[in-house]
Every structure is written in structure tokens, then in C-alpha cells.
């Protein structure tokens, strides 16, 4: 008997998604950094991405990179979040490259790399409108100049991240700007900008649209590979699996209940005051999973089953069918928010389905 709740990770479907995207982007001259952060640096997923042809692995947490190294993963790995000063030593030890926006951090990486007797690669992230991480474009050349002067630091390239905080779409303008910055660095300093990383899953539409790619030669892809969707409108990507990872939970109560609460309505457990319409009696089921384990708003069950809400430990469903008996299981597709919360809950087990030999 498999334990519940559980995430089921289908490596064959992840392989298919990754391989398809690697192929399509290769035709545009773009390589893929396979991002493992939503899977906590899961070693099987990492190996599957590499098998499918990603050029390197990327993760936002040095802990995940460390755990992949402990599992003997020797592929090139990029820390895609700016390193904490306090983690600089671990960063140079376990990651080949890190994305950076602060010269003080790069100085510390240089110091730690000298101490460790190794070199560390640096990609400088540029702010192009989304207002999360990034050096302001006017300050980029100065930062490159300083980076180039630091011992044991290899300047690897530049990158940008869009559509994460503000939902700014990658387009001809901001992507041309990144290309122009790469070229300005090369003519100013006579160095080669190896990596020009255009962005994340939100860049796929632009990259595959036939647009002028310029110098963009890398995308960092997580969600598109794991969930099979683009991230500007969350539409399924042609030919990709959207059920490579699913979440299954168990029914602990199933009853016919009224839709209208009885009594005086105040705040619920999460400070909301629910307003409910009377729809008579419904078949209500409770699953043993809650907001501690996932994002109820990010779950999608089969047709006829609707997620009505959740508290910390209970997920409430309504069903048009009467097969949601106690002990039965319900499987959901997840959005990114539900996925990362389920992955990080200690109460949700992870079942990895082995891929067949390719
Ligand atoms: C998370 C992240 C990515 C991957 O984003 P997806 O939308 O999952 O493809 C890429 N780059 C950076 C800097 C990130 O933080």
C-alpha cells in the first residue's frame, strides 16, 4: 500500500518534456539550463534532465546543489539565486557558476575561491523591467570591469529574469537590450560573453516564435519541463505532458452535507469570512491534506470533482459522483504553487517512477 499524501513523479514524462524543449530550442541556437529547484534538487530528476540533453543544471538553493553533489552528480551546476554572503564558501565549493547582482558578494566569492584553490564562474544578472533581481543596465559595464579584476573569478556571461515578480513578458525590446549589452561588454573589454541567459519558462513563447534571437543562447527552464506549460498564460505546451507530477491524497470523510453553514459567520482559520450560496445538499469529501502540504487553489481533480477549500490539514471537495468513499484516493494536477508546497512538506512522500531505458 502506497502512503498518502504522495507526489508521483513520472521520469519518462519529464524526460519527454525536457527532450522536446531541448530539441525545439536547439533549432534556435539556445541551450537549456535544467532548473531543479521546484523538485528540491531531486537527483533522479536531475539525471533525467541531463539524459534529455540539458547543458547544465540550475538551482536556487545551495542546499539542493550540495545534495545533488553528494549523490555523485558531476554535471555543471549554476546557483541561479544570488548567493548569500554567509554561504559564499559553500557556493564556490559546490556550484561551478552563480548568478550575481552585488559586487560585494562577488568579492567574497573571489576570496573563498582563492582559499579553496579553485575558480568560480559568475553570470551577472541584469534588471530589464520585472524588478526582481538584476543590476541596472547603466551599472553593468562597471560591474563587469570589477568582476574581471577579481582573482579566481571567471566572468561567464549575463542573464536576465522576467515575468517572476511583475509579470513582464520577454519581448523583442528587452531581449534586444540583453544582446546589445553582451556586445557592448565584448567591445569594451575584449572578452567573450559565453552565456547570454534570456530567462525562464516565460521566455519560451518568444524564443520559439521565430523572433530575432540575437545573442541569447540559454534559457533556464523549470516549470515548463516539470508541468508542461508556459508561464505567461499557463497554457499547456504543444506535445508536452502536464501530468508528469501528480498529487494523490486520501479521503477521510465522505458525507451528504448542506452547502450553507448554520450559525453566525465570523472569520475562519485563515482570517477569511466566507460568503456561501445555498446550493442545497452536496456530496462532500474531506482529504487528509491541507494548506500545510499544498496550495488548495492550485489543485485540479478529474471532471466532476471540485476543490472547495482547505484548512491546515483538511482539503474539502465536492463531487458529482458518489465514489469518494472513505479510504479511496483522489489524484490532482498541480500548478507551480501547489507543486513547490507539496515538495517541501515533510508529510508528502515522493514516489519516483523509473524511466524505461531510452
Ligand atoms: C526559478 C527560476 C528559473 C526557472 O523558472 P521557471 O519558471 O520554473 O522556468 C529561472 N531563473 C531564475 C533566476 C529563477 O529563479
Amino acid at each position: 500500500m502506497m502512503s498518502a499524501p504522495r507526489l508521483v513523479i513520472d521520469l519518462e514524462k519529464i524526460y519527454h518534456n525536457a527532450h522536446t524543449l531541448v530539441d525545439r530550442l536547439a533549432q534556435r541556437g539556445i541551450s537549456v539550463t535544467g532548473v531543479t529547484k521546484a523538485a528540491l534538487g531531486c537527483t533522479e530528476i536531475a539525471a533525467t534532465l541531463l539524459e534529455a540533453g540539458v547543458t547544465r543544471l540550475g538551482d536556487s538553493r545551495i542546499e539542493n546543489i550540495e545534495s545533488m553533489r553528494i549523490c555523485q552528480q558531476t554535471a555543471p551546476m549554476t546557483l541561479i539565486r544570488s548567493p548569500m554572503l554567509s554561504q559564499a564558501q559553500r557556493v564556490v565549493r559546490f556550484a561551478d557558476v552563480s548568478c550575481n547582482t552585488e559586487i560585494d558578494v562577488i568579492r567574497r566569492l573571489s576570496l573563498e575561491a582563492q582559499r579553496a584553490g579553485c575558480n568560480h564562474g559568475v553570470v551577472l544578472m541584469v534588471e530589464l523591467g520585472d524588478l526582481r533581481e538584476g543590476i541596472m543596465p547603466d551599472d553593468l559595464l562597471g560591474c563587469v570591469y570589477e568582476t574581471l579584476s577579481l582573482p579566481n573569478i571567471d566572468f561567464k556571461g549575463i542573464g536576465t529574469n522576467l515575468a517572476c515578480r511583475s509579470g513582464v513578458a520577454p519581448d523583442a525590446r528587452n531581449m534586444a537590450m540583453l544582446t546589445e549589452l553582451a556586445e557592448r561588454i565584448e567591445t569594451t573589454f575584449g572578452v567573450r560573453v559565453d552565456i547570454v541567459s534570456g530567462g525562464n519558462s516565460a521566455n519560451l513563447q518568444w524564443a520559439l516564435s521565430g523572433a530575432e534571437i540575437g545573442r541569447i543562447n540559454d534559457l533556464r527552464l523549470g516549470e515548463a519541463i516539470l508541468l508542461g506549460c508556459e508561464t505567461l498564460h499557463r497554457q499547456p505546451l504543444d506535445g508536452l505532458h502536464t501530468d508528469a507530477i501528480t498529487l494523490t491524497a486520501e479521503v477521510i470523510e465522505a458525507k451528504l452535507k448542506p452547502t450553507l453553514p448554520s450559525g453566525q459567520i465570523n472569520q475562519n482559520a485563515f482570517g477569511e469570512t466566507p460568503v456561501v450560496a445555498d446550493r442545497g445538499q452536496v456530496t462532500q469529501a474531506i482529504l487528509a491534506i491541507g494548506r500545510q502540504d499544498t496550495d488548495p487553489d492550485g489543485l485540479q481533480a478529474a471532471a466532476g470533482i471540485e476543490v472547495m477549500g482547505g484548512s491546515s490539514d483538511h482539503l474539502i471537495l465536492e463531487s458529482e459522483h458518489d465514489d469518494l468513499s472513505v479510504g479511496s484516493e483522489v489524484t490532482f494536477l498541480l500548478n507551480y504553487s501547489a507543486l513547490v508546497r507539496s515538495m517541501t512538506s515533510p508529510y508528502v512522500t515522493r514516489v519516483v517512477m523509473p524511466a524505461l531505458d531510452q
Side-chain angles (χ1 to χ4, degrees), residues 295-312:
D295 177 357
D297 298 330
L299 299 178
Q300 189 195 329
I305 299 178
E306 199 178 341
V307 177
M308 302 310 292
S311 51
S312 314

Side-chain angles (χ1 to χ4, degrees), residues 115-130:
R115 283 195 185 134
C118 65
N119 273 30
H120 184 72
V122 163
V123 167
L124 295 176
M125 297 297 278
V126 190
E127 168 61 54
L128 290 180
D130 200 53

Side-chain angles (χ1 to χ4, degrees), residues 172-188:
R173 191 193 58 89
N174 48 40
M175 289 297 104
M177 211 144 132
L178 198 62
T179 287
E180 192 192 314
L181 289 166
E183 281 167 355
R184 216 183 302 162
I185 290 168
E186 292 187 341
T187 52
T188 306

